[in-house]
């Protein structure tokens, strides 16, 4: 079967052949948990299978498509802890996509380790570079191997019935047998090789796509170049260079060389196009950095993580540099580090006064140096929650400067006092510290001595302003805190705080009167919500000139997340979430930052970058004369939706689709389809929904698929979230993501999207 599908594409090299023979290696979970396991590459070249040496019964497996990368040597905390016991050249780490734990392995020799390192890397490269045709071939191969119970390379009808249940298909037995007989060209009573491919294609025939194809095809067999151009212009709303685009798409997706030479598209090529990234709902132009990156930092939403070091909950969870690696690889640009005095004289990172494990601050900085700019060149902000003594703060600075070198920003980019924040473009490749600072930036830049008491300056300003009694009390409290900070803050660390000086928040008026653009305040989620309710427009104006960071309530001991959308609606830049916790909140997060090349910076709409703006989320009409958009979404069908983990043998999903708009309060809405009984393979809904959207610039569109359950809560099947401004119109596939945010191919939805301007007469 494999050779039929791969042809010459996958040549087994020596490493893969040895991997298929199998190797005994140590699987390591901690310094004391090291167990022998027998690892083997299965005949499909896509599955790694392993079992315990002792019993030989307990088996586990993972797919090559689950693997993100392979790290060589002592590149995990566990393997580093065993560095004296096992040589570097025998160790490696398999890193998986999403939140799945890494797999640390120790081979018996350097040669065996290299065999698996090089072999796995080659397989990951092959999977990553597969084109659409090869991916489909791979899925067919996967299903065949799963269903071929007796491993004889052919499938009888009983095995086919079992396969249909695995694929989420509740098909009439007579119909299934007719498809089976149609594919059994050799009349042997079994399907093998190309016969199974034929069966799979009959099974996955897309009547709804064929219908669209035939609307534009004169002979119902092919689309000529002109017919395809008509489809692209009329349905997909492609307007620029459509002739060239049509030629290019035919060249890339038409499987028949004859048809390609004639510049025509077959139904197979048409389906391949629709299922590819070009036919996806997400605008491919937004997969790269396309926004203006030369505006002040405060004009961007910035991908921000809370308790970045935690892998689980914040009471007993594991602290790990892996949290930083994962966040950085996702494009996160603001990381949090809680620093405490370590018993050996060096600072440590953990969630203070809890049972979470501890990691040396030095390891966090080393990780930052290595991974900070792999996913994005734009600046990283390190939010330091400082609980250290002055002595250990000085050690923090030594480690930061010694390890990060030129990457660490320690003065303004031009040596001058900033009148506004610099841009992401100007700060490329820089790591910026956020924290408390003694005195003003102006003092150090102008060579003023540190002895100048900041408190006296503040008092003079306050007398000039003539504040009201309540605000004066708040300011006195500020001064008390500032004085305390001055006593307990290392001068060396203070001098490293440049563009993100932490200051307490009193009121928006106080900030505007007393604070500088390089100063910023942090808010708990509840404080932010209160301010949004009471002074939404003031909040928007505030974030047009100064950074604001929002963080979860301390009561969220399970590391759950709050809804970030209300904070983005008032322009808050650093809305920090617990990246380690999957759920709808992180779906929205990933959706917002999926645009602009996933660089971690998203330019705010123009009406949120003006300090005199009239915009407020509760009153979106304040941004001038505009009419709402009407968004019409037709949910047509679903393809190969996954079974639920731990579902009963033979059970099949009853899927429904919910379409959600997450925007300003007046735009937020949701509607859902009916559920389809017993069909996760090719459910057909054909239902249309209409939404009115006043502020599309702030709207996120989310599709959720659930398994309907009459007796209890519906089970989550998959979702996809993206900015409304990144949506492509026309017939589009939505490639669903798991709860973890990773792909679950080939699961998808097929939809039609139409947006029209609503005229003022209709309002």
């Amino acid at each position: 079967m494999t050779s039929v599908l791969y042809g010459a594409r996958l040549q087994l090299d020596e490493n893969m052949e040895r991997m298929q023979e199998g190797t005994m290696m140590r699987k390591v979970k901690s310094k004391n948990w090291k167990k022998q396991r027998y690892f083997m590459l299965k005949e499909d070249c896509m599955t790694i299978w392993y079992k315990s040496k002792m019993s030989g019964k307990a088996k586990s497996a993972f797919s090559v498509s689950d693997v993100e990368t392979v790290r060589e040597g002592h590149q995990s905390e566990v393997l580093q802890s065993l560095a004296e016991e096992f040589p570097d050249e025998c160790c490696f780490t398999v890193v998986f996509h999403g939140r799945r734990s890494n797999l640390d392995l120790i081979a018996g020799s350097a040669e065996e380790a290299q065999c698996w390192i090089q072999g796995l890397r080659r397989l990951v490269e092959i999977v990553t570079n597969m084109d659409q045709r090869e991916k489909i071939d791979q899925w067919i191969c996967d299903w065949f191997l799963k269903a071929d119970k007796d491993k004889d390379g052919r499938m009888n009808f009983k095995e086919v019935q079992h396969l249909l249940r695995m694929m989420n298909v509740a098909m009439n037995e007579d119909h299934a047998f007719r498809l089976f007989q149609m594919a059994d060209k050799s009349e042997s009573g079994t399907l093998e090789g190309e016969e199974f491919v034929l069966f799979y294609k009959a099974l996955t025939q897309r009547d709804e796509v064929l219908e669209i194809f035939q609307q534009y095809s004169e002979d119902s067999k092919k689309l000529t170049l002109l017919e395809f151009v008509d489809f692209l212009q009329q349905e997909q709303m492609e307007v620029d260079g459509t002739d060239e685009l049509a030629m290019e798409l035919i060249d890339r997706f038409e499987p028949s060389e004859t048809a390609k030479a004639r510049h025509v598209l077959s139904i197979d090529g048409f389906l391949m196009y629709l299922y590819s990234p070009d036919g996806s709902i997400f605008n491919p132009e937004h997969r790269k950095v396309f926004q203006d990156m030369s505006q002040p930092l405060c004009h961007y939403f910035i991908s921000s993580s809370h308790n970045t070091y935690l892998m689980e909950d914040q009471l007993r969870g594991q602290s790990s540099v892996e949290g930083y690696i994962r966040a950085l690889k996702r494009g996160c640009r603001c990381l949090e580090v809680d620093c405490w005095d370590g018993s050996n004289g060096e600072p440590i990172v953990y969630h203070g006064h809890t049972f979470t494990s501890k990691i040396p601050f030095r390891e966090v900085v080393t990780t930052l140096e290595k991974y900070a700019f792999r996913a994005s060149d734009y600046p990283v902000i390190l939010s330091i929650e400082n609980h250290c003594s002055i002595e250990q703060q000085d050690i923090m600075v030594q480690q930061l400067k010694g390890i990060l070198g030129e990457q660490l920003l320690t003065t303004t980019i031009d040596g001058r006092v900033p009148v506004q924040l610099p841009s992401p473009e100007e700060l490329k490749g820089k790591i910026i510290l956020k924290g408390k600072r003694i005195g003003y930036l102006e003092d150090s830049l102008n060579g003023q001595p540190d002895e100048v008491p900041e408190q006296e300056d503040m008092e003079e300003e306050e007398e000039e302003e003539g504040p009201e009694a309540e605000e004066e009390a708040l300011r006195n409290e500020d001064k008390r805190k500032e004085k305390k900070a001055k006593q307990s803050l290392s001068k060396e660390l203070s001098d490293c705080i440049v563009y993100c000086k932490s200051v307490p928040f009193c009121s928006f008026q106080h900030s505007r009167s007393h604070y500088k653009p390089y100063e910023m305040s942090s808010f708990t989620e509840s404080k932010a919500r209160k301010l949004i309710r009471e002074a939404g427009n003031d909040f928007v104006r505030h974030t047009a000139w100064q950074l604001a960071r929002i963080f979860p309530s301390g009561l969220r001991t399970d590391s759950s997340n709050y809804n970030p959308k209300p904070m983005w609606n008032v322009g808050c830049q650093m809305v920090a979430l617990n990246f380690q916790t999957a759920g709808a909140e992180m779906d929205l997060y990933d959706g917002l930052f999926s645009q602009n090349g996933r660089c971690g910076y998203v330019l705010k709409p123009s009406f949120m970058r003006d300090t005199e703006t009239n915009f407020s989320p509760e009153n979106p009409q304040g941004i001038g004369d505009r009419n709402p958009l009407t968004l019409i979404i037709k949910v047509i069908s679903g393809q190969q939706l996954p079974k639920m983990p731990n579902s009963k043998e033979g059970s099949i999903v009853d899927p429904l689709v919910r379409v959600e708009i997450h925007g300003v309060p007046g735009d937020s809405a949701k509607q859902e389809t009916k559920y389809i009984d017993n069909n996760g393979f090719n459910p057909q809904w054909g239902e249309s929904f209409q939404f009115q959207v006043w502020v599309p610039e702030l709207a996120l569109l989310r599709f959720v698929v659930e398994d309907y359950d009459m007796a209890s809560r519906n089970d989550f099947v998959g979702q996809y979230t993206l900015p409304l401004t990144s949506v492509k119109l026309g017939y589009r596939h939505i490639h669903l993501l798991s709860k973890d945010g990773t792909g679950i191919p080939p699961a998808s939805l097929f939809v039609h999207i139409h947006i029209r301007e609503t005229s003022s007469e209709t309002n």
Side-chain angles (χ1 to χ4, degrees):
M1 184 66 187
T2 309
S3 61
V4 169
L5 300 174
Y6 285 110
R9 179 78 171 95
L10 179 55
Q11 295 290 337
L12 281 184
D13 61 22
E14 189 183 336
N15 288 329
M16 293 175 204
E17 285 174 355
R18 287 182 60 190
M19 288 163 72
Q20 286 189 337
E21 290 167 10
T23 309
M24 192 67 76
M25 292 188 279
R26 281 185 176 89
K27 180 183 174 186
V28 187
K29 287 188 180 177
S30 70
K31 202 165 182 177
N32 300 318
W33 197 103
K34 307 182 284 283
K35 301 203 174 169
Q36 294 274 14
R37 293 287 183 266
Y38 183 72
F39 286 81
M40 192 170 77
L41 174 66
K42 299 283 280 180
E43 66 270 24
D44 64 350
C45 289
M46 287 293 132
T47 310
I48 311 294
W49 168 92
Y50 58 99
K51 66 175 182 176
S52 91
K53 181 191 176 189
M54 297 294 289
S55 66
K57 289 178 184 173
K59 294 179 195 169
S60 297
F62 61 87
S63 169
V64 172
S65 58
D66 296 335
V67 178
E68 183 183 309
T69 190
V70 182
R71 294 188 204 142
E72 210 167 332
H74 299 139
Q75 286 205 57
S76 75
E77 285 148 309
V78 171
L79 290 175
Q80 280 168 8
S81 72
L82 296 166
E84 291 180 12
E85 193 177 343
F86 297 99
D88 187 75
E89 59 270 20
C90 292
C91 302
F92 63 100
T93 302
V94 180
V95 180
F96 297 101
H97 292 290
R99 294 174 177 82
R100 182 170 173 177
S101 298
N102 295 347
L103 179 61
D104 288 315
L105 297 172
I106 303 171
S109 68
E111 187 190 2
E112 282 181 352
Q114 278 304 310
C115 166
W116 279 84
I117 291 165
Q118 299 304 329
L120 276 171
R121 283 177 177 169
R122 175 73 185 121
L123 289 167
V124 169
E125 182 189 11
I126 288 167
V127 169
T128 306
N129 295 326
M130 276 182 183
D131 62 25
Q132 203 59 31
R133 167 67 58 190
E134 287 162 336
K135 283 178 184 172
I136 291 169
D137 286 349
Q138 181 55 44
W139 295 329
I140 298 172
C141 184
D142 286 348
W143 283 122
F144 186 92
L145 290 162
K146 283 176 191 171
D148 184 15
K149 286 291 185 188
D150 55 12
K151 305 300 175 199
D152 62 353
R154 57 188 62 166
M155 285 173 56
N156 58 37
F157 184 60
K158 190 175 178 184
E159 286 175 317
V160 165
Q161 287 178 298
H162 178 67
L163 169 69
L164 293 174
R165 284 194 297 275
M166 285 199 300
M167 291 173 110
N168 255 335
V169 186
M171 187 180 282
N172 172 284
E173 189 172 325
D174 291 341
H175 180 56
F177 190 61
R178 279 196 298 277
L179 288 182
F180 180 87
Q181 285 185 309
M182 177 276 300
D184 182 16
K185 298 295 186 188
S186 63
E187 299 183 357
S188 62
T190 60
L191 303 181
E192 52 187 303
E194 291 292 359
E195 291 178 334
F196 180 74
V197 174
L198 201 61
F199 173 76
Y200 183 90
K201 284 188 173 173
L203 197 61
T204 54
Q205 184 173 306
R206 299 279 301 278
D207 291 338
E208 75 278 24
V209 174
L210 187 59
E211 195 178 308
I212 299 160
F213 180 84
Q214 289 173 343
Q215 282 173 20
Y216 284 87
S217 168
E218 192 178 341
D219 65 1
S220 298
K221 292 176 184 172
K222 65 182 182 303
L223 287 177
T224 64
L225 184 61
L226 286 176
E227 287 169 345
F228 189 35
V229 166
D230 283 348
F231 170 79
L232 292 173
Q233 289 177 340
Q234 293 172 34
E235 297 292 353
Q236 308 299 77
M237 301 298 161
E238 304 283 6
V239 287
D240 298 323
T242 324
D243 288 16
E244 292 82 2
L245 176 63
M247 290 275 281
E248 183 203 331
L249 293 174
I250 290 171
D251 195 50
R252 277 165 52 205
F253 298 114
E254 175 50 52
S256 161
E257 291 299 327
T258 311
K260 203 183 286 188
R262 292 169 53 212
H263 305 310
V264 299
L265 195 63
S266 66
I267 180 64
D268 279 353
F270 185 65
L271 188 53
M272 297 279 271
Y273 150 67
L274 284 175
Y275 203 77
S276 75
D278 293 81
S280 149
I281 191 171
F282 191 90
N283 186 342
E285 290 301 307
H286 292 192
R287 294 187 193 281
K288 56 194 178 198
V289 175
F290 70 96
Q291 294 177 337
D292 176 8
M293 301 304 286
S294 63
Q295 306 228 8
L297 278 183
C298 54
H299 287 182
Y300 298 83
F301 296 120
I302 304 171
S303 176
S304 306
S305 159
H306 178 64
N307 289 347
T308 316
Y309 49 88
L310 285 181
M311 303 295 285
E312 301 157 46
D313 70 80
Q314 53 196 52
L315 283 183
R316 298 174 180 275
Q318 179 197 2
S319 301
S320 171
V321 294
E322 205 61 47
Y324 290 96
I325 295 171
R326 290 182 183 187
L328 288 165
K329 286 201 295 198
R330 287 173 83 159
C332 182
R333 298 287 87 188
C334 179
L335 312 166
E336 185 181 35
V337 52
D338 287 9
C339 304
W340 300 79
D341 279 357
S343 55
N344 66 346
E346 288 202 5
I348 53 171
V349 174
Y350 85 113
H351 203 253
H353 310 301
T354 66
F355 296 102
T356 59
S357 59
K358 303 171 176 67
I359 44 177
F361 179 73
R362 177 191 297 275
E363 285 185 16
V364 173
V365 182
T366 303
T367 301
L368 196 57
E369 189 274 330
K370 189 169 185 182
Y371 289 94
F373 303 106
R374 286 201 183 177
S376 169
D377 293 331
Y378 293 105
V380 170
I381 298 164
L382 197 61
S383 178
I384 294 180
E385 195 170 305
N386 179 10
H387 305 277
C388 291
S389 61
I390 287 182
E391 294 75 22
Q392 293 208 13
Q393 288 176 48
D394 288 343
I395 291 169
M396 281 168 60
V397 176
Q398 287 170 23
Q399 293 176 351
L400 284 162
K401 288 182 174 178
I403 295 166
L404 299 178
E406 291 297 306
Q407 289 183 333
L408 183 69
L409 188 90
T410 54
T411 186
T412 56
I413 53 174
D414 55 5
R416 296 182 194 154
V417 178
V419 291
Q420 66 174 20
L421 287 167
S423 69
E425 193 64 40
E426 291 172 302
L427 292 166
K428 261 186 173 177
K430 290 295 181 186
I431 293 167
I432 303 163
L433 300 189
K434 171 194 163 294
K436 294 186 175 70
R437 180 186 171 96
I438 303 166
Y440 291 111
L441 193 56
E442 290 87 325
D443 297 342
S444 57
L445 289 171
N446 295 332
Q448 295 232 3
D450 283 330
E451 292 80 63
V452 176
E454 184 176 332
Q455 278 68 30
E456 288 176 23
D457 292 346
M458 288 174 71
E459 282 166 10
E460 285 171 15
E461 283 177 15
E462 285 162 13
E463 285 164 10
E464 286 167 18
E465 292 290 326
E468 292 176 8
E470 187 180 349
E471 193 159 314
E472 188 170 9
L474 283 167
R475 287 183 193 150
N476 288 335
E477 176 65 11
D478 290 354
K479 287 187 289 181
R480 190 186 64 76
K481 288 178 180 173
E482 189 81 24
K483 190 173 181 181
K484 188 180 175 188
K486 196 167 183 179
Q487 291 166 348
S488 58
L489 188 60
S490 145
K491 181 185 182 304
E492 279 68 25
L493 184 57
S494 168
D495 287 349
C496 291
I497 306 298
V498 183
Y499 292 120
C500 294
K501 176 188 172 184
S502 298
V503 290
F505 177 81
C506 303
S507 71
F508 293 122
Q509 181 55 48
H510 173 265
S511 294
R512 191 171 276 214
S513 305
H514 291 79
Y515 288 157
K516 314 283 183 182
Y518 62 79
E519 296 175 317
M520 62 172 291
S521 302
S522 294
F523 307 81
T524 63
E525 55 173 291
S526 51
K527 173 75 172 174
R529 276 194 289 263
K530 183 172 185 287
L531 289 167
I532 291 165
R533 280 195 308 272
E534 294 173 356
N537 174 249
D538 288 335
F539 214 151
V540 178
R541 291 181 174 199
H542 175 80
T543 57
W545 71 278
Q546 195 179 63
L547 291 168
R549 180 175 180 270
I550 316 298
F551 59 94
S553 157
L555 299 174
R556 294 183 181 273
T557 53
D558 58 351
S559 291
S560 59
N561 281 313
Y562 57 90
N563 179 3
K565 199 70 197 62
M567 290 70 173
W568 289 328
N569 287 343
V570 290
C572 295
Q573 300 88 349
M574 303 177 191
V575 181
L577 292 193
N578 291 301
F579 274 38
Q580 72 271 29
T581 308
E585 297 82 12
M586 275 308 296
D587 294 344
L588 295 177
Y589 214 91
D590 290 337
L592 176 69
F593 290 104
S594 62
Q595 62 185 312
N596 210 28
R598 293 186 181 274
C599 76
Y601 285 83
V602 169
L603 186 63
K604 296 197 284 188
S606 57
F607 54 80
M608 302 186 93
R609 310 195 302 258
D610 174 8
T611 54
E612 303 303 321
T613 184
N614 291 320
F615 172 76
S616 148
E618 298 293 341
N619 177 31
Q621 286 86 340
I623 51 181
D625 186 25
R626 63 160 62 190
N627 296 317
L629 296 178
T630 299
L631 171 66
I632 302 160
I633 297 175
K634 184 177 186 181
V635 180
I636 302 168
S637 62
Q639 294 74 45
Q640 301 186 56
L641 306 175
K643 272 180 177 290
M644 296 300 88
N646 310 318
S647 58
K648 291 179 195 166
E649 178 71 29
S651 68
I652 291 167
V653 299
D654 306 323
L656 61 84
V657 180
R658 187 168 59 254
V659 183
E660 303 172 349
I661 303 285
H662 296 264
V664 296
D667 288 346
S668 297
K670 58 180 76 169
Q671 297 183 57
E672 68 182 36
T673 67
K674 61 183 181 297
Y675 70 91
I676 304 292
D677 206 21
N678 266 351
N679 187 354
F681 188 71
N682 56 358
Q684 307 280 319
W685 291 281
E687 294 187 51
S688 292
F689 304 118
Q690 191 164 308
F691 300 92
Q692 219 178 47
V693 183
W694 282 93
V695 192
E697 300 95 330
L698 288 175
L700 294 168
L701 179 58
R702 184 170 186 251
F703 296 85
V704 188
V705 182
E706 290 182 346
D707 180 12
Y708 174 76
D709 194 317
M710 194 174 4
S712 62
R713 194 173 169 184
N714 294 348
D715 285 325
F716 173 90
V717 174
Q719 69 84 32
Y720 190 81
T721 308
L722 76 166
L724 187 56
T725 51
S726 295
V727 168
K728 289 285 278 182
L729 303 181
Y731 288 103
R732 300 288 167 183
H733 275 98
I734 296 165
H735 299 281
L736 294 172
L737 303 174
S738 69
K739 196 166 190 174
D740 220 17
T742 54
I744 41 175
S748 64
L749 296 176
F750 187 49
V751 300
H752 184 272
I753 311 277
H754 180 65
I755 296 177
R756 67 165 187 258
E757 291 252 5
T758 311
S759 65
S760 50
E761 288 81 36
T762 56
N763 289 306

